[in-house]
Amino acid sequence: MNSLDPALNLLDQRREEALARLFDLLRIPSISTDPAYAAHCQTAADWLVTDLTAMGFEAVAHPTGGHPIVLAEDLSAEGPHVLFYGHYDVQPVDPLELWDSAPFEPQMIEVAGAGPAIRARGAGDDKGQLMTFLEACRALKSANGALPCKVTILLEGEEETGGKHLPGFLEQHAERLGKADIALVCDTSMWDARTPAITTMLRGMVGEEVTIHGPDRDLHSGYYGGAAANPLAVLSQILGALHDGEGRVQIDGFYDGVPEIPANIRAQWDALPFEESAFLGEIGLSRPWGEQDRGVLEQTWARPTAEVNGVWGGYTGAGFKTVIPAEAHAKISFRLVGQQDPAKIREGFRRFVRDRLPSDCRASFIAYGGSGATAMPVADPVFEKARAALTAEWGSEAAFIGSGGSIPVVGQMQQILGLDSMLIGFGLADDAIHSPNEKYQLASFEKGARSWARVLVALA
């Protein structure tokens, strides 16, 4: 059985070495979306292989049709088997002029009221996060001669570009990777700087673009106005009918498969330090808009939504043009929870639109992907073990929280490998990921590594 204290002591003693390794990785401009940086993505993958090999992992950078996927294994321990996922690719740095320092020259900075932080592209998303896990493994192996459980590490190089080649890789290696008992994903955040969290539910999403077709050409609104159907007016009426006065979506069957929150999870959420007015006040709003009988956390984590993301048609240039457009367009996204079926939601929306068309108009649609929600089995004792380990490190009770967004790899590992995921990360809301001056608090990095050491020992 591995001993935790010697590993924690090593992490404390070797902080500077760990920080130097992270800075080395951050200096590699592994921007996945720009072909000009392809060689740097390869360099980052090779750097990770070298580091993992030095730790005693069997590590290989597997080529794909895009950037490599790093796969490393240490299966020498007895007991359970975990599969850790992270990504080494980063977002572009534009606009460069808004950075206070060079994006790939990591700097230590002081954040008012929060302490020291690391500023660099990738510091919080996801190099700093993945290195917390690697440093935990390094300390456990150095202190005890072995890891407390079997560990497989999968590090992707295309997460920021949609992960095109990951599903095929998972399918190709499904027999091997599916032997794990649970997946660990670090690409998430804490509740706040003092409260660690395990994300246990992710909303799915359906994207739709609708076009309303009316007259066969744009019309002069003085000559035809009042007689000709106006696609923009028709579309506006349809979009306005999506919600009732209480914020509920009016598509038939929309709430089929939507569960209520378990009482113990609701109690945890109620105990979190959260003020709805402050949350909305930060963006210049004052009151929740959605379902009026639900709180903001429930609205954003555990309830489905229909959001209009863009509307256009007719003349939108400078000045004024009196035109009835031939077409009107909108993009709508639906966030899904529970057992909502993406295909049924898509068809329900299209039927909702068609049922409200006047006889002289028709609708066409473009689908932009669809995936169901993901919920983790929090009743499984391993989730409570991990929560207790995080609580012990941070001194504040860790919470099971939801996420309003989607993390495709979690659904892919569930569908392809049959693995549930435990999403544990140490990012903060103000880390400016994807933005200029991205940062990662030093406490997130150092206590994140200590947290992973505790979690691995707890799971074993």
Side-chain angles (χ1 to χ4, degrees):
M1 182 69 178
N2 280 276
S3 172
L4 177 62
D5 288 342
L8 296 179
N9 291 336
L10 275 182
L11 285 168
D12 291 343
Q13 294 165 14
R14 299 177 181 177
R15 288 173 175 172
E16 294 302 319
E17 297 172 29
L19 193 61
R21 282 187 288 268
L22 174 58
F23 274 37
D24 284 346
L25 182 58
L26 290 171
R27 291 188 183 99
I28 304 171
S30 49
I31 301 171
S32 57
T33 191
D34 189 339
Y37 291 86
H40 296 292
C41 290
Q42 181 69 56
T43 298
D46 292 341
W47 188 96
L48 289 162
V49 167
T50 298
D51 190 50
L52 287 160
T53 301
M55 270 195 271
F57 283 86
E58 294 184 8
V60 176
H62 292 265
T64 69
H67 304 305
I69 291 176
V70 174
L71 188 61
E73 292 179 320
D74 184 336
L75 307 181
S76 58
E78 298 294 328
H81 183 179
V82 301
L83 169 62
F84 175 84
Y85 167 88
H87 66 90
Y88 64 81
D89 64 318
V90 302
Q91 283 277 335
V93 299
D94 309 272
L96 184 59
E97 66 272 13
L98 296 184
W99 285 80
D100 293 334
S101 57
F104 294 107
E105 294 178 11
Q107 306 286 325
M108 289 299 303
I109 62 171
E110 190 72 21
V111 178
I118 304 146
R119 183 170 61 211
R121 173 57 89 226
D125 184 23
D126 184 49
K127 291 178 179 178
Q129 301 260 52
L130 73 85
M131 286 302 291
T132 60
F133 188 82
L134 267 60
E135 294 302 337
C137 290
R138 193 187 323 272
L140 286 165
K141 287 170 71 71
S142 295
N144 302 295
L147 292 168
C149 53
K150 296 179 177 67
V151 174
T152 297
I153 295 174
L154 189 155
L155 305 175
E156 186 187 2
E158 296 178 338
E159 194 275 343
E160 301 292 8
T161 58
K164 177 181 177 181
H165 295 96
L166 182 62
F169 184 87
L170 295 178
E171 290 171 356
Q172 181 182 356
H173 299 273
E175 183 176 355
R176 179 181 182 182
L177 299 175
K179 292 179 180 178
D181 298 298
I182 195 165
L184 306 175
V185 177
C186 70
D187 202 7
T188 55
S189 301
M190 307 226 300
W191 167 251
D192 60 27
R194 296 172 297 280
T195 311
I198 303 176
T199 301
T200 61
M201 56 182 68
L202 300 168
R203 291 194 291 192
M205 193 173 78
V206 167
E208 279 282 279
E209 180 177 325
V210 57
T211 297
I212 305 298
H213 305 267
D216 60 8
R217 61 188 182 276
D218 288 355
L219 304 175
H220 189 298
S221 66
Y223 194 76
Y224 286 98
N230 186 323
L232 269 174
V234 171
L235 179 60
S236 298
Q237 290 172 352
I238 292 171
L239 296 180
L242 269 176
H243 300 86
D244 68 11
E246 298 297 312
R248 285 182 62 85
V249 178
Q250 296 301 289
I251 297 172
D252 286 345
F254 185 77
Y255 291 95
D256 293 348
V258 175
E260 292 296 329
I261 306 170
N264 63 319
I265 299 299
R266 185 182 292 279
Q268 285 189 27
W269 293 1
D270 289 343
L272 290 171
F274 179 74
E275 293 183 16
E276 293 185 352
S277 59
F279 175 77
L280 294 170
E282 290 178 354
I283 55 173
L285 301 176
S286 61
R287 61 180 296 273
W289 183 83
E291 294 176 277
Q292 295 302 294
D293 59 340
R294 309 283 175 167
V296 167
L297 288 183
E298 186 175 1
Q299 286 178 341
T300 56
W301 288 352
R303 298 298 295 175
T305 67
E307 297 292 348
V308 181
N309 306 125
V311 180
W312 69 101
Y315 181 71
T316 58
F320 198 79
K321 183 179 181 182
T322 55
V323 63
I324 296 174
E327 297 179 348
H329 315 267
K331 293 181 187 288
I332 298 96
S333 62
F334 300 91
R335 297 286 178 173
L336 311 185
V337 302
Q339 300 301 311
Q340 283 181 297
D341 184 332
K344 290 183 178 179
I345 296 298
R346 189 185 307 282
E347 182 51 40
F349 169 69
R350 294 183 177 188
R351 186 169 54 251
F352 181 89
V353 171
R354 292 188 181 112
D355 287 348
R356 287 159 178 79
L357 290 174
S359 58
D360 274 350
C361 291
R362 63 182 178 87
S364 62
F365 302 88
I366 299 174
Y368 288 99
S371 60
T374 304
M376 297 304 145
V378 293
D380 187 327
V382 298
F383 281 82
E384 278 297 338
K385 289 181 180 180
R387 194 165 79 93
L390 292 171
T391 299
E393 176 59 34
W394 291 86
S396 298
E397 185 176 0
F400 291 143
I401 65 173
S403 171
S406 307
I407 302 178
V409 66
V410 174
Q412 291 163 4
M413 289 194 292
Q414 199 170 53
Q415 295 157 16
I416 299 172
L417 305 179
L419 293 181
D420 290 319
S421 296
M422 195 177 296
L423 290 85
I424 302 174
F426 306 99
L428 298 176
D430 66 353
D431 280 344
I433 63 173
H434 294 199
S435 299
N437 296 318
E438 178 180 350
K439 59 94 174 165
Y440 194 51
Q441 291 298 134
L442 184 61
S444 292
F445 179 61
E446 293 180 346
K447 291 179 73 63
R450 289 173 54 92
S451 296
W452 278 123
R454 290 181 183 274
V455 168
L456 287 174
V457 170
L459 295 183

